[in-house]
Amino acid sequence: MKVRCVRLLDKSGREQTSSAWLTVGRVYVVLSLYVASDGNSVQIMGDQGPGPGIYRLDQFELVDGSIPAIWVASKMPRGNGLSLEPAAWAPVGFWDKYFDGDPEARAVFQQVLAKLTSDEPMDTVTIAEGRSNNAG
């Protein structure tokens, strides 16, 4: 799945003229998708920072809606939404370990990130069209 940044918003939804994290017009690979009652968001590798960030979905337009076959759906911890993310990142506590610098969590993140951002074909599912695309 890929999205293109079409506008810059702060956390309150106010338009911004610049951002250190996103570039208008740039295409980003979606690492995870969060659908929640308080707003939808995507997890991507932004322009700066050593790790992923979560950004409001209304800043982006969909470029490629193919959903990686390695993604799973799960209820978000607060119970107010659904996450679609790589199965390896879905266990409760994974992100705490990652941001605490746990070497195993960091290695798992890097392995999955490499797979998601690779130019190599990956098995995907296209929900909107209701068909599977077996690219690998």
Side-chain angles (χ1 to χ4, degrees):
M1 180 178 286
K2 293 181 182 177
V3 293
R4 177 181 295 110
C5 182
V6 293
R7 61 186 174 153
L8 303 171
L9 303 173
D10 67 12
K11 289 186 180 200
S12 299
R14 292 182 301 247
E15 290 271 347
Q16 301 294 300
T17 57
S18 65
S19 169
W21 307 104
L22 299 173
T23 302
V24 172
R26 182 172 175 195
V27 173
Y28 297 90
V29 173
V30 176
L31 308 179
S32 302
L33 176 66
Y34 304 102
V35 180
S37 59
D38 58 352
N40 303 324
S41 55
V42 290
Q43 182 181 49
I44 62 173
M45 295 298 289
D47 297 343
Q48 291 188 10
I54 297 175
Y55 302 91
R56 297 171 57 106
L57 184 58
D58 52 357
Q59 297 180 95
F60 301 93
E61 66 182 7
L62 188 63
V63 173
D64 176 359
S66 301
I67 298 175
I70 63 172
W71 279 13
V72 296
S74 57
K75 189 175 179 182
M76 291 173 60
R78 295 186 315 245
N80 70 338
L82 182 72
S83 66
L84 296 169
E85 62 187 330
W89 300 348
V92 173
F94 173 81
W95 290 110
D96 291 332
K97 290 177 184 175
Y98 172 84
F99 285 109
D100 285 344
D102 179 80
E104 185 176 328
R106 293 282 175 121
V108 168
F109 174 80
Q110 289 299 326
Q111 290 168 352
V112 174
L113 178 64
K115 187 179 284 190
L116 290 172
T117 58
S118 170
D119 289 335
E120 294 296 316
M122 168 188 266
D123 285 345
T124 60
V125 177
T126 306
I127 301 291
E129 297 176 11
R131 70 173 198 267
S132 255
N133 296 324
N134 294 320

